[in-house]
Amino acid sequence: MYQEHQTARSAFVPIRHLNYHVRQWGPDTSTLPPLVLVHGWMDVSASYQFVVDAFSQAFVQGRRIIAPDWRGFGLTAPPVPTDHYFFPDYLADLDQLLDHFAPDTPVDLVGHSMGGNVAMFYAGSRPARIRRLVNLEGFGMPASKPAKAPQRYAQWMDELKALQRGDMALKTYDSADGVARRLMKTNPRLPQDKAAWLARHWARPNAQGQWEILGDAAHKIVNAQLFRLDEVLALYASITAPTLCIEASDDSLGLWWQGRYTLEEYHQRLQSVPDCRTARVEDAGHMLHHDQPQAVAALIEGFLLSA
């Protein structure tokens, strides 16, 4: 099994009536800006372990590194009761987490996938709180048409009923090895030692001995509101932090959207960010921080330390 080089510490912080689990590396205090790492959909904070291990020793020893489990993921229990999740809640959770860990200083913020979208929206909403911003494949969604709103609200209500019937329950596994095989099936580049390590943070056994994914099935419910591109571009335009958007050599957008949303369109959106540059990681897919942690860590570290 993979052996981590940097040992994480766990803390639970009361945030908005939730007991938020936060993973931390590095010193308890530092004069340098904290580095905050936020994970993606159906993922956990431990997902960043491989990148933290790939940072230089001096980098890790010099600053606090903080990675929360979003509400309803990992060891942060879901709100009770709940049957769906509201995207702006992630921004409010992050805002209060920063109030707790870095009340008087801007932070460096890194987000992957859904977490990358949260990071971009937050940086546009609270520009003074972010010193530098890194987005790992947080592409957003295809532009929507208002005429689709009736269909979307109906889909949302139908999915709520499906969740209540149990139709959207997450699959369980007989063992941690079964979870690891699932992770490797989803990402063929993930080596077995890392899959075995990650499986034990991504899932846990229930009372019957079955391994359950640490993600609330209610996260599968579609957002009731359409993705509004004009609002997104306004948020991007409000970002003041220097921004680095990193993408993988595999074209995730092409695989997911089949022409409905392309990398070219994403790059056009990034033109709204006042100070933005892009980078590409070769031989990597959407989970680029698992596929090429050394390359991702080098890009993040170099960006954060540049003048």
Side-chain angles (χ1 to χ4, degrees):
M1 189 183 300
Y2 178 83
Q3 295 295 315
E4 62 265 27
H5 307 302
Q6 303 292 341
T7 301
R9 307 181 302 280
S10 280
F12 287 88
V13 182
I15 298 290
R16 302 184 62 218
H17 308 293
L18 294 173
N19 207 21
Y20 243 87
H21 176 246
V22 179
R23 194 175 300 271
Q24 299 176 78
W25 300 267
D28 290 327
T29 60
S30 172
T31 58
L32 295 174
L35 173 58
V36 180
L37 309 171
V38 292
H39 67 79
W41 186 81
M42 285 296 165
D43 204 355
V44 293
S45 60
S47 190
Y48 280 107
Q49 180 70 51
F50 311 134
V51 167
V52 172
D53 285 343
F55 286 140
S56 70
Q57 189 69 16
F59 183 84
V60 176
Q61 289 179 345
R63 71 182 63 216
R64 300 177 72 190
I65 302 176
I66 299 160
D69 286 333
W70 288 126
R71 55 174 56 214
F73 291 119
L75 300 182
T76 301
V80 179
T82 190
D83 58 6
H84 70 287
Y85 287 82
F86 183 51
F87 189 83
D89 274 326
Y90 301 119
L91 277 70
D93 292 352
L94 177 59
D95 194 50
Q96 295 192 24
L97 282 163
L98 296 188
D99 287 345
H100 177 84
F101 285 103
D104 302 316
T105 182
V107 305
D108 294 328
L109 180 60
V110 176
H112 172 248
S113 194
M114 182 193 82
N117 295 318
V118 174
M120 296 286 280
F121 284 22
Y122 184 79
S125 302
R126 298 278 203 213
R129 300 301 303 273
I130 306 304
R131 190 192 75 100
R132 296 222 162 190
L133 175 64
V134 180
N135 179 1
L136 306 175
E137 296 233 327
F139 298 123
M141 305 289 287
S144 62
K145 298 179 180 179
K148 295 289 187 180
Q151 177 184 341
R152 173 60 66 86
Y153 280 113
Q155 179 185 355
W156 178 71
M157 291 184 285
D158 289 343
E159 290 187 1
L160 289 176
K161 293 178 182 178
L163 180 72
Q164 291 166 1
R165 293 193 301 267
D167 297 347
M168 303 183 81
L170 301 178
K171 181 180 177 181
T172 59
Y173 299 85
D174 291 336
S175 65
D177 289 341
V179 178
R181 288 192 294 270
R182 152 73 189 279
L183 289 169
M184 289 188 289
K185 181 179 179 181
T186 302
N187 180 11
R189 286 188 176 92
L190 185 65
Q192 186 172 0
D193 65 330
K194 289 181 179 177
W197 184 90
L198 191 59
R200 288 159 174 81
H201 296 274
W202 201 61
R204 65 182 173 190
N206 60 22
Q208 292 74 42
Q210 291 288 301
W211 281 71
E212 295 181 330
I213 304 304
L214 291 173
D216 186 359
H219 285 293
K220 297 169 69 175
I221 302 294
V222 71
N223 194 325
Q225 295 179 318
L226 296 171
F227 183 85
R228 300 185 177 109
L229 181 56
D230 53 348
E231 294 182 8
V232 172
L233 296 181
L235 285 163
Y236 283 11
S238 295
I239 296 171
T240 58
T243 301
L244 174 63
C245 293
I246 304 175
E247 60 199 48
S249 56
D250 288 3
D251 181 2
S252 298
L253 288 180
L255 294 171
W256 296 337
W257 298 112
Q258 301 295 311
R260 288 180 52 208
Y261 179 31
T262 66
L263 271 177
E264 182 181 0
E265 290 177 85
Y266 169 63
H267 291 156
Q268 289 173 352
R269 294 179 186 182
L270 293 181
Q271 293 177 14
S272 295
V273 181
D275 182 359
C276 184
R277 65 223 68 182
T278 60
R280 174 180 160 116
V281 175
E282 298 299 329
D283 191 20
H286 185 58
M287 303 301 285
L288 68 173
H289 54 319
H290 295 173
D291 299 342
Q292 300 294 344
Q294 287 78 17
V296 171
L299 285 169
I300 294 172
E301 186 170 341
F303 178 63
L304 298 187
L305 295 179
S306 62

